[in-house]
Amino acid sequence: MSSSQGKSSSSQYEPLSLQDDGEGSSATFEKRSSEDDHSTPLLEASDNLPALAPSKPSQLPKLILYFSFALALLSAVNVALLPTTLSKYQAYPFSDSDLEALPYGDARLGLDRVAKFIPPPKVYHHTWPDRIARVSRRLKNAVWGQGVQVYVTVEDSTIMRFPISPTGVNTCALSWRPPPEFSPRAKDLTTKGDITEIEVWQLIAPSDILANVSSTMDELDYDTLSYSTLPVRGELLGVLDLTAKPNSTTLEFACPRGAESLVVEMRCQRVACHVSFMQIHIAPSFGFELLERA
């Protein structure tokens, strides 16, 4: 019985009494007052800071504006003085003696003198063949006669005669003019294989078989011409590329002197070379032509 009472008395909670001697509250108050004292100088210091001076505006935009205005004014003055300067120049042009007195010689030519130093443009006279005949190395005695068909293969050649202008031309060249790409006449041209090297050989004299019939190339009979009676070849005048655009032209060569015509042989030695068409005067025209210039 006594043990139970002792246990209950020992387990009873008794709150501790705080000593209210005023020291705890005064310490707390002093701490808070000290914090307030420390914050007060910061506020006062911030109030005592000098005010920031406002930044001065930049002077660069004004300088750019003044410079632009001065440049525009100078340009206006130059334009205003230009008519006066030109009128004085036209009224008092330089004479030949003034030009010779220049330190660098006649460096100022003028537009009226430029034409004397520019070479004249090359003016060519275009001539079409008046005789066309086909010959074959495989059929040496075959005769096709005079016509308008151009037929060039590895085994076949085409003989052409071009009249030479009687006005005394000095330079000649052979040219190939292809048909326009979207022209209906483009279908009239048949090509196969490599046609980039069509050889142009000059025929200079009749063969021994025709020597008694025609003494010159101007008297050659194209209605009886065959490969067995082919005239004697001279020099290779050039090579034509039939795939070139807008045309293909050989190098210039001297026109035959004392002759009325130029006779050439069109032949091809490339693999599977084939060119055939009718060279007739139907617009738009295409084919081989002779170029002449004085």
Side-chain angles (χ1 to χ4, degrees):
M1 187 73 175
S2 60
S3 61
S4 61
Q5 291 178 355
K7 184 182 293 186
S8 61
S9 62
S10 61
S11 61
Q12 186 178 359
Y13 173 77
E14 293 181 0
L16 297 176
S17 60
L18 296 176
Q19 295 179 358
D20 191 8
D21 53 359
E23 294 179 358
S25 60
S26 62
T28 304
F29 177 76
E30 290 177 359
K31 184 177 181 180
R32 291 180 179 177
S33 61
S34 63
E35 292 178 355
D36 296 338
D37 294 340
H38 286 297
S39 61
T40 301
L42 294 176
L43 295 176
E44 293 178 354
S46 62
D47 295 338
N48 295 331
L49 289 176
L52 295 176
S55 59
K56 296 182 179 180
S58 177
Q59 300 295 332
L60 185 59
K62 291 184 178 180
L63 294 177
I64 295 177
L65 180 61
Y66 294 154
F67 180 76
S68 301
F69 179 75
L71 184 61
L73 183 61
L74 181 60
S75 301
V77 172
N78 290 334
V79 172
L81 295 178
L82 184 60
T84 305
T85 305
L86 293 178
S87 61
K88 290 183 178 180
Y89 172 76
Q90 293 178 356
Y92 303 98
F94 287 101
S95 61
D96 294 338
S97 59
D98 295 336
L99 294 177
E100 294 177 357
L102 292 175
Y104 298 101
D106 192 1
R108 176 192 156 278
L109 297 177
L111 296 178
D112 55 338
R113 302 187 180 188
V114 173
K116 299 179 181 179
F117 295 90
I118 298 178
K122 295 181 179 180
V123 180
Y124 290 95
H125 177 68
H126 298 252
T127 305
W128 275 47
D130 60 352
R131 294 289 187 274
I132 299 176
R134 172 187 171 186
V135 295
S136 175
R137 283 187 290 274
R138 186 167 61 91
L139 304 173
K140 295 185 178 181
N141 295 322
V143 177
W144 279 268
Q146 152 66 17
V148 294
Q149 183 184 25
V150 177
Y151 199 88
V152 180
T153 65
V154 178
E155 298 178 347
D156 300 89
S157 300
T158 297
I159 311 301
M160 292 185 175
R161 187 182 75 175
F162 295 91
I164 297 179
S165 177
T167 57
V169 294
N170 299 322
T171 306
C172 292
L174 270 298
S175 177
W176 158 257
R177 183 194 304 175
E181 185 176 359
F182 300 102
S183 170
R185 293 216 61 195
K187 300 179 180 179
D188 299 340
L189 175 63
T190 302
T191 59
K192 298 178 183 178
D194 188 356
I195 57 173
T196 59
E197 294 184 8
I198 303 298
E199 299 176 356
V200 183
W201 289 85
Q202 182 181 6
L203 303 181
I204 57 177
S207 62
D208 296 337
I209 300 176
L210 298 179
N212 298 329
V213 180
S214 55
S215 58
T216 62
M217 293 298 298
D218 297 331
E219 301 175 357
L220 188 64
D221 186 6
Y222 290 84
D223 289 329
T224 60
L225 187 63
S226 65
Y227 191 83
S228 60
T229 60
L230 187 69
V232 179
R233 291 193 187 98
E235 61 177 334
L236 178 64
L237 299 179
V239 177
L240 296 175
D241 181 5
L242 272 58
T243 62
K245 299 294 179 64
N247 54 35
S248 178
T249 306
T250 65
L251 297 177
E252 294 182 346
F253 53 88
C255 298
R257 294 183 178 273
E260 298 178 358
S261 61
L262 172 66
V263 182
V264 298
E265 176 189 4
M266 302 290 182
R267 58 182 300 189
C268 183
Q269 301 296 321
R270 308 299 293 179
V271 177
C273 175
H274 179 95
V275 179
S276 61
F277 64 94
M278 298 290 184
Q279 183 154 339
I280 53 181
H281 289 279
I282 296 180
S285 60
F286 71 94
F288 299 100
E289 58 184 358
L290 176 66
L291 306 181
E292 304 171 283
R293 71 178 181 89

mmCIF file with all atom_site columns, all heavy atoms in Angstrom, residues 244-265:
data_model
loop_
_atom_site.group_PDB
_atom_site.id
_atom_site.type_symbol
_atom_site.label_atom_id
_atom_site.label_alt_id
_atom_site.label_comp_id
_atom_site.label_asym_id
_atom_site.label_entity_id
_atom_site.label_seq_id
_atom_site.pdbx_PDB_ins_code
_atom_site.Cartn_x
_atom_site.Cartn_y
_atom_site.Cartn_z
_atom_site.occupancy
_atom_site.B_iso_or_equiv
_atom_site.pdbx_formal_charge
_atom_site.auth_seq_id
_atom_site.auth_comp_id
_atom_site.auth_asym_id
_atom_site.auth_atom_id
_atom_site.pdbx_PDB_model_num
ATOM 1   N N   . ALA A 1 244 ? 28.660 21.081 -132.228 1.00 0.00 ? 244 ALA A N   1
ATOM 2   C CA  . ALA A 1 244 ? 28.933 22.388 -131.627 1.00 0.00 ? 244 ALA A CA  1
ATOM 3   C C   . ALA A 1 244 ? 27.760 23.326 -131.857 1.00 0.00 ? 244 ALA A C   1
ATOM 4   O O   . ALA A 1 244 ? 27.067 23.257 -132.876 1.00 0.00 ? 244 ALA A O   1
ATOM 5   C CB  . ALA A 1 244 ? 30.214 22.983 -132.204 1.00 0.00 ? 244 ALA A CB  1
ATOM 6   N N   . LYS A 1 245 ? 27.535 24.217 -130.899 1.00 0.00 ? 245 LYS A N   1
ATOM 7   C CA  . LYS A 1 245 ? 26.482 25.228 -130.980 1.00 0.00 ? 245 LYS A CA  1
ATOM 8   C C   . LYS A 1 245 ? 27.105 26.599 -130.730 1.00 0.00 ? 245 LYS A C   1
ATOM 9   O O   . LYS A 1 245 ? 27.983 26.729 -129.879 1.00 0.00 ? 245 LYS A O   1
ATOM 10  C CB  . LYS A 1 245 ? 25.387 24.951 -129.934 1.00 0.00 ? 245 LYS A CB  1
ATOM 11  C CG  . LYS A 1 245 ? 24.688 23.621 -130.094 1.00 0.00 ? 245 LYS A CG  1
ATOM 12  C CD  . LYS A 1 245 ? 23.875 23.558 -131.384 1.00 0.00 ? 245 LYS A CD  1
ATOM 13  C CE  . LYS A 1 245 ? 23.197 22.198 -131.537 1.00 0.00 ? 245 LYS A CE  1
ATOM 14  N NZ  . LYS A 1 245 ? 22.222 21.918 -130.516 1.00 0.00 ? 245 LYS A NZ  1
ATOM 15  N N   . PRO A 1 246 ? 26.720 27.650 -131.448 1.00 0.00 ? 246 PRO A N   1
ATOM 16  C CA  . PRO A 1 246 ? 25.682 27.673 -132.488 1.00 0.00 ? 246 PRO A CA  1
ATOM 17  C C   . PRO A 1 246 ? 26.170 27.216 -133.850 1.00 0.00 ? 246 PRO A C   1
ATOM 18  O O   . PRO A 1 246 ? 25.365 26.991 -134.742 1.00 0.00 ? 246 PRO A O   1
ATOM 19  C CB  . PRO A 1 246 ? 25.274 29.144 -132.520 1.00 0.00 ? 246 PRO A CB  1
ATOM 20  C CG  . PRO A 1 246 ? 26.525 29.872 -132.162 1.00 0.00 ? 246 PRO A CG  1
ATOM 21  C CD  . PRO A 1 246 ? 27.232 29.000 -131.164 1.00 0.00 ? 246 PRO A CD  1
ATOM 22  N N   . ASN A 1 247 ? 27.501 27.098 -134.046 1.00 0.00 ? 247 ASN A N   1
ATOM 23  C CA  . ASN A 1 247 ? 28.028 26.608 -135.311 1.00 0.00 ? 247 ASN A CA  1
ATOM 24  C C   . ASN A 1 247 ? 29.442 26.102 -135.081 1.00 0.00 ? 247 ASN A C   1
ATOM 25  O O   . ASN A 1 247 ? 29.994 26.213 -133.984 1.00 0.00 ? 247 ASN A O   1
ATOM 26  C CB  . ASN A 1 247 ? 28.002 27.703 -136.393 1.00 0.00 ? 247 ASN A CB  1
ATOM 27  C CG  . ASN A 1 247 ? 28.711 28.964 -135.942 1.00 0.00 ? 247 ASN A CG  1
ATOM 28  O OD1 . ASN A 1 247 ? 29.704 28.926 -135.215 1.00 0.00 ? 247 ASN A OD1 1
ATOM 29  N ND2 . ASN A 1 247 ? 28.207 30.111 -136.360 1.00 0.00 ? 247 ASN A ND2 1
ATOM 30  N N   . SER A 1 248 ? 30.028 25.563 -136.143 1.00 0.00 ? 248 SER A N   1
ATOM 31  C CA  . SER A 1 248 ? 31.407 25.085 -136.098 1.00 0.00 ? 248 SER A CA  1
ATOM 32  C C   . SER A 1 248 ? 32.109 25.584 -137.352 1.00 0.00 ? 248 SER A C   1
ATOM 33  O O   . SER A 1 248 ? 31.569 25.466 -138.460 1.00 0.00 ? 248 SER A O   1
ATOM 34  C CB  . SER A 1 248 ? 31.450 23.557 -136.021 1.00 0.00 ? 248 SER A CB  1
ATOM 35  O OG  . SER A 1 248 ? 32.788 23.093 -136.028 1.00 0.00 ? 248 SER A OG  1
ATOM 36  N N   . THR A 1 249 ? 33.304 26.153 -137.175 1.00 0.00 ? 249 THR A N   1
ATOM 37  C CA  . THR A 1 249 ? 34.031 26.766 -138.285 1.00 0.00 ? 249 THR A CA  1
ATOM 38  C C   . THR A 1 249 ? 35.482 26.318 -138.244 1.00 0.00 ? 249 THR A C   1
ATOM 39  O O   . THR A 1 249 ? 36.080 26.227 -137.167 1.00 0.00 ? 249 THR A O   1
ATOM 40  C CB  . THR A 1 249 ? 33.958 28.301 -138.204 1.00 0.00 ? 249 THR A CB  1
ATOM 41  O OG1 . THR A 1 249 ? 32.589 28.700 -138.127 1.00 0.00 ? 249 THR A OG1 1
ATOM 42  C CG2 . THR A 1 249 ? 34.588 28.941 -139.425 1.00 0.00 ? 249 THR A CG2 1
ATOM 43  N N   . THR A 1 250 ? 36.034 26.051 -139.408 1.00 0.00 ? 250 THR A N   1
ATOM 44  C CA  . THR A 1 250 ? 37.447 25.706 -139.493 1.00 0.00 ? 250 THR A CA  1
ATOM 45  C C   . THR A 1 250 ? 38.298 26.959 -139.325 1.00 0.00 ? 250 THR A C   1
ATOM 46  O O   . THR A 1 250 ? 37.790 28.089 -139.343 1.00 0.00 ? 250 THR A O   1
ATOM 47  C CB  . THR A 1 250 ? 37.758 25.057 -140.845 1.00 0.00 ? 250 THR A CB  1
ATOM 48  O OG1 . THR A 1 250 ? 37.533 26.026 -141.890 1.00 0.00 ? 250 THR A OG1 1
ATOM 49  C CG2 . THR A 1 250 ? 36.873 23.845 -141.086 1.00 0.00 ? 250 THR A CG2 1
ATOM 50  N N   . LEU A 1 251 ? 39.577 26.749 -139.172 1.00 0.00 ? 251 LEU A N   1
ATOM 51  C CA  . LEU A 1 251 ? 40.492 27.881 -139.164 1.00 0.00 ? 251 LEU A CA  1
ATOM 52  C C   . LEU A 1 251 ? 40.537 28.510 -140.558 1.00 0.00 ? 251 LEU A C   1
ATOM 53  O O   . LEU A 1 251 ? 40.311 27.842 -141.572 1.00 0.00 ? 251 LEU A O   1
ATOM 54  C CB  . LEU A 1 251 ? 41.886 27.435 -138.740 1.00 0.00 ? 251 LEU A CB  1
ATOM 55  C CG  . LEU A 1 251 ? 42.018 26.878 -137.312 1.00 0.00 ? 251 LEU A CG  1
ATOM 56  C CD1 . LEU A 1 251 ? 43.446 26.415 -137.064 1.00 0.00 ? 251 LEU A CD1 1
ATOM 57  C CD2 . LEU A 1 251 ? 41.601 27.912 -136.282 1.00 0.00 ? 251 LEU A CD2 1
ATOM 58  N N   . GLU A 1 252 ? 40.826 29.793 -140.599 1.00 0.00 ? 252 GLU A N   1
ATOM 59  C CA  . GLU A 1 252 ? 40.881 30.485 -141.885 1.00 0.00 ? 252 GLU A CA  1
ATOM 60  C C   . GLU A 1 252 ? 42.081 30.007 -142.702 1.00 0.00 ? 252 GLU A C   1
ATOM 61  O O   . GLU A 1 252 ? 43.150 29.707 -142.161 1.00 0.00 ? 252 GLU A O   1
ATOM 62  C CB  . GLU A 1 252 ? 40.955 31.992 -141.663 1.00 0.00 ? 252 GLU A CB  1
ATOM 63  C CG  . GLU A 1 252 ? 39.698 32.577 -141.025 1.00 0.00 ? 252 GLU A CG  1
ATOM 64  C CD  . GLU A 1 252 ? 39.787 34.078 -140.855 1.00 0.00 ? 252 GLU A CD  1
ATOM 65  O OE1 . GLU A 1 252 ? 40.914 34.618 -140.981 1.00 0.00 ? 252 GLU A OE1 1
ATOM 66  O OE2 . GLU A 1 252 ? 38.751 34.718 -140.609 1.00 0.00 ? 252 GLU A OE2 1
ATOM 67  N N   . PHE A 1 253 ? 41.887 29.942 -144.000 1.00 0.00 ? 253 PHE A N   1
ATOM 68  C CA  . PHE A 1 253 ? 42.951 29.544 -144.918 1.00 0.00 ? 253 PHE A CA  1
ATOM 69  C C   . PHE A 1 253 ? 42.867 30.430 -146.154 1.00 0.00 ? 253 PHE A C   1
ATOM 70  O O   . PHE A 1 253 ? 41.868 31.132 -146.384 1.00 0.00 ? 253 PHE A O   1
ATOM 71  C CB  . PHE A 1 253 ? 42.829 28.061 -145.300 1.00 0.00 ? 253 PHE A CB  1
ATOM 72  C CG  . PHE A 1 253 ? 41.480 27.671 -145.835 1.00 0.00 ? 253 PHE A CG  1
ATOM 73  C CD1 . PHE A 1 253 ? 41.183 27.786 -147.192 1.00 0.00 ? 253 PHE A CD1 1
ATOM 74  C CD2 . PHE A 1 253 ? 40.493 27.197 -144.982 1.00 0.00 ? 253 PHE A CD2 1
ATOM 75  C CE1 . PHE A 1 253 ? 39.935 27.434 -147.686 1.00 0.00 ? 253 PHE A CE1 1
ATOM 76  C CE2 . PHE A 1 253 ? 39.242 26.841 -145.465 1.00 0.00 ? 253 PHE A CE2 1
ATOM 77  C CZ  . PHE A 1 253 ? 38.962 26.960 -146.821 1.00 0.00 ? 253 PHE A CZ  1
ATOM 78  N N   . ALA A 1 254 ? 43.920 30.405 -146.948 1.00 0.00 ? 254 ALA A N   1
ATOM 79  C CA  . ALA A 1 254 ? 43.970 31.242 -148.147 1.00 0.00 ? 254 ALA A CA  1
ATOM 80  C C   . ALA A 1 254 ? 43.042 30.679 -149.214 1.00 0.00 ? 254 ALA A C   1
ATOM 81  O O   . ALA A 1 254 ? 43.041 29.472 -149.486 1.00 0.00 ? 254 ALA A O   1
ATOM 82  C CB  . ALA A 1 254 ? 45.401 31.319 -148.667 1.00 0.00 ? 254 ALA A CB  1
ATOM 83  N N   . CYS A 1 255 ? 42.245 31.556 -149.783 1.00 0.00 ? 255 CYS A N   1
ATOM 84  C CA  . CYS A 1 255 ? 41.353 31.130 -150.863 1.00 0.00 ? 255 CYS A CA  1
ATOM 85  C C   . CYS A 1 255 ? 42.173 30.775 -152.107 1.00 0.00 ? 255 CYS A C   1
ATOM 86  O O   . CYS A 1 255 ? 43.248 31.348 -152.338 1.00 0.00 ? 255 CYS A O   1
ATOM 87  C CB  . CYS A 1 255 ? 40.369 32.244 -151.198 1.00 0.00 ? 255 CYS A CB  1
ATOM 88  S SG  . CYS A 1 255 ? 39.266 32.692 -149.843 1.00 0.00 ? 255 CYS A SG  1
ATOM 89  N N   . PRO A 1 256 ? 41.698 29.827 -152.904 1.00 0.00 ? 256 PRO A N   1
ATOM 90  C CA  . PRO A 1 256 ? 42.435 29.468 -154.131 1.00 0.00 ? 256 PRO A CA  1
ATOM 91  C C   . PRO A 1 256 ? 42.565 30.669 -155.068 1.00 0.00 ? 256 PRO A C   1
ATOM 92  O O   . PRO A 1 256 ? 41.596 31.392 -155.317 1.00 0.00 ? 256 PRO A O   1
ATOM 93  C CB  . PRO A 1 256 ? 41.572 28.362 -154.752 1.00 0.00 ? 256 PRO A CB  1
ATOM 94  C CG  . PRO A 1 256 ? 40.754 27.827 -153.626 1.00 0.00 ? 256 PRO A CG  1
ATOM 95  C CD  . PRO A 1 256 ? 40.509 28.978 -152.708 1.00 0.00 ? 256 PRO A CD  1
ATOM 96  N N   . ARG A 1 257 ? 43.751 30.887 -155.562 1.00 0.00 ? 257 ARG A N   1
ATOM 97  C CA  . ARG A 1 257 ? 44.001 32.007 -156.466 1.00 0.00 ? 257 ARG A CA  1
ATOM 98  C C   . ARG A 1 257 ? 43.810 31.557 -157.915 1.00 0.00 ? 257 ARG A C   1
ATOM 99  O O   . ARG A 1 257 ? 44.236 30.475 -158.307 1.00 0.00 ? 257 ARG A O   1
ATOM 100 C CB  . ARG A 1 257 ? 45.418 32.548 -156.271 1.00 0.00 ? 257 ARG A CB  1
ATOM 101 C CG  . ARG A 1 257 ? 45.641 33.180 -154.900 1.00 0.00 ? 257 ARG A CG  1
ATOM 102 C CD  . ARG A 1 257 ? 47.043 33.763 -154.797 1.00 0.00 ? 257 ARG A CD  1
ATOM 103 N NE  . ARG A 1 257 ? 47.265 34.423 -153.516 1.00 0.00 ? 257 ARG A NE  1
ATOM 104 C CZ  . ARG A 1 257 ? 46.965 35.685 -153.270 1.00 0.00 ? 257 ARG A CZ  1
ATOM 105 N NH1 . ARG A 1 257 ? 46.428 36.421 -154.219 1.00 0.00 ? 257 ARG A NH1 1
ATOM 106 N NH2 . ARG A 1 257 ? 47.192 36.211 -152.088 1.00 0.00 ? 257 ARG A NH2 1
ATOM 107 N N   . GLY A 1 258 ? 43.187 32.416 -158.682 1.00 0.00 ? 258 GLY A N   1
ATOM 108 C CA  . GLY A 1 258 ? 42.988 32.126 -160.098 1.00 0.00 ? 258 GLY A CA  1
ATOM 109 C C   . GLY A 1 258 ? 41.954 31.058 -160.365 1.00 0.00 ? 258 GLY A C   1
ATOM 110 O O   . GLY A 1 258 ? 41.899 30.526 -161.477 1.00 0.00 ? 258 GLY A O   1
ATOM 111 N N   . ALA A 1 259 ? 41.140 30.702 -159.383 1.00 0.00 ? 259 ALA A N   1
ATOM 112 C CA  . ALA A 1 259 ? 40.109 29.675 -159.568 1.00 0.00 ? 259 ALA A CA  1
ATOM 113 C C   . ALA A 1 259 ? 38.739 30.293 -159.342 1.00 0.00 ? 259 ALA A C   1
ATOM 114 O O   . ALA A 1 259 ? 38.586 31.277 -158.611 1.00 0.00 ? 259 ALA A O   1
ATOM 115 C CB  . ALA A 1 259 ? 40.331 28.511 -158.612 1.00 0.00 ? 259 ALA A CB  1
ATOM 116 N N   . GLU A 1 260 ? 37.751 29.689 -159.976 1.00 0.00 ? 260 GLU A N   1
ATOM 117 C CA  . GLU A 1 260 ? 36.384 30.175 -159.836 1.00 0.00 ? 260 GLU A CA  1
ATOM 118 C C   . GLU A 1 260 ? 35.622 29.486 -158.720 1.00 0.00 ? 260 GLU A C   1
ATOM 119 O O   . GLU A 1 260 ? 34.540 29.948 -158.342 1.00 0.00 ? 260 GLU A O   1
ATOM 120 C CB  . GLU A 1 260 ? 35.629 29.975 -161.164 1.00 0.00 ? 260 GLU A CB  1
ATOM 121 C CG  . GLU A 1 260 ? 36.227 30.744 -162.329 1.00 0.00 ? 260 GLU A CG  1
ATOM 122 C CD  . GLU A 1 260 ? 35.481 30.490 -163.621 1.00 0.00 ? 260 GLU A CD  1
ATOM 123 O OE1 . GLU A 1 260 ? 34.520 29.675 -163.583 1.00 0.00 ? 260 GLU A OE1 1
ATOM 124 O OE2 . GLU A 1 260 ? 35.838 31.089 -164.650 1.00 0.00 ? 260 GLU A OE2 1
ATOM 125 N N   . SER A 1 261 ? 36.169 28.387 -158.202 1.00 0.00 ? 261 SER A N   1
ATOM 126 C CA  . SER A 1 261 ? 35.451 27.631 -157.180 1.00 0.00 ? 261 SER A CA  1
ATOM 127 C C   . SER A 1 261 ? 36.439 26.906 -156.282 1.00 0.00 ? 261 SER A C   1
ATOM 128 O O   . SER A 1 261 ? 37.629 26.758 -156.610 1.00 0.00 ? 261 SER A O   1
ATOM 129 C CB  . SER A 1 261 ? 34.491 26.620 -157.824 1.00 0.00 ? 261 SER A CB  1
ATOM 130 O OG  . SER A 1 261 ? 35.221 25.696 -158.625 1.00 0.00 ? 261 SER A OG  1
ATOM 131 N N   . LEU A 1 262 ? 35.922 26.457 -155.150 1.00 0.00 ? 262 LEU A N   1
ATOM 132 C CA  . LEU A 1 262 ? 36.669 25.642 -154.193 1.00 0.00 ? 262 LEU A CA  1
ATOM 133 C C   . LEU A 1 262 ? 35.952 24.306 -154.066 1.00 0.00 ? 262 LEU A C   1
ATOM 134 O O   . LEU A 1 262 ? 34.774 24.257 -153.697 1.00 0.00 ? 262 LEU A O   1
ATOM 135 C CB  . LEU A 1 262 ? 36.752 26.336 -152.832 1.00 0.00 ? 262 LEU A CB  1
ATOM 136 C CG  . LEU A 1 262 ? 37.345 25.511 -151.688 1.00 0.00 ? 262 LEU A CG  1
ATOM 137 C CD1 . LEU A 1 262 ? 38.824 25.226 -151.939 1.00 0.00 ? 262 LEU A CD1 1
ATOM 138 C CD2 . LEU A 1 262 ? 37.159 26.225 -150.348 1.00 0.00 ? 262 LEU A CD2 1
ATOM 139 N N   . VAL A 1 263 ? 36.652 23.213 -154.381 1.00 0.00 ? 263 VAL A N   1
ATOM 140 C CA  . VAL A 1 263 ? 36.078 21.874 -154.330 1.00 0.00 ? 263 VAL A CA  1
ATOM 141 C C   . VAL A 1 263 ? 36.666 21.154 -153.120 1.00 0.00 ? 263 VAL A C   1
ATOM 142 O O   . VAL A 1 263 ? 37.896 21.099 -152.948 1.00 0.00 ? 263 VAL A O   1
ATOM 143 C CB  . VAL A 1 263 ? 36.367 21.087 -155.621 1.00 0.00 ? 263 VAL A CB  1
ATOM 144 C CG1 . VAL A 1 263 ? 35.703 19.707 -155.561 1.00 0.00 ? 263 VAL A CG1 1
ATOM 145 C CG2 . VAL A 1 263 ? 35.877 21.864 -156.834 1.00 0.00 ? 263 VAL A CG2 1
ATOM 146 N N   . VAL A 1 264 ? 35.787 20.603 -152.291 1.00 0.00 ? 264 VAL A N   1
ATOM 147 C CA  . VAL A 1 264 ? 36.223 19.933 -151.065 1.00 0.00 ? 264 VAL A CA  1
ATOM 148 C C   . VAL A 1 264 ? 35.539 18.577 -150.963 1.00 0.00 ? 264 VAL A C   1
ATOM 149 O O   . VAL A 1 264 ? 34.514 18.313 -151.605 1.00 0.00 ? 264 VAL A O   1
ATOM 150 C CB  . VAL A 1 264 ? 35.897 20.775 -149.813 1.00 0.00 ? 264 VAL A CB  1
ATOM 151 C CG1 . VAL A 1 264 ? 36.638 22.100 -149.847 1.00 0.00 ? 264 VAL A CG1 1
ATOM 152 C CG2 . VAL A 1 264 ? 34.401 20.993 -149.684 1.00 0.00 ? 264 VAL A CG2 1
ATOM 153 N N   . GLU A 1 265 ? 36.136 17.726 -150.131 1.00 0.00 ? 265 GLU A N   1
ATOM 154 C CA  . GLU A 1 265 ? 35.574 16.410 -149.820 1.00 0.00 ? 265 GLU A CA  1
ATOM 155 C C   . GLU A 1 265 ? 35.288 16.348 -148.329 1.00 0.00 ? 265 GLU A C   1
ATOM 156 O O   . GLU A 1 265 ? 36.176 16.587 -147.503 1.00 0.00 ? 265 GLU A O   1
ATOM 157 C CB  . GLU A 1 265 ? 36.544 15.292 -150.204 1.00 0.00 ? 265 GLU A CB  1
ATOM 158 C CG  . GLU A 1 265 ? 36.042 13.908 -149.813 1.00 0.00 ? 265 GLU A CG  1
ATOM 159 C CD  . GLU A 1 265 ? 37.087 12.828 -149.989 1.00 0.00 ? 265 GLU A CD  1
ATOM 160 O OE1 . GLU A 1 265 ? 38.246 13.169 -150.340 1.00 0.00 ? 265 GLU A OE1 1
ATOM 161 O OE2 . GLU A 1 265 ? 36.766 11.642 -149.755 1.00 0.00 ? 265 GLU A OE2 1
#
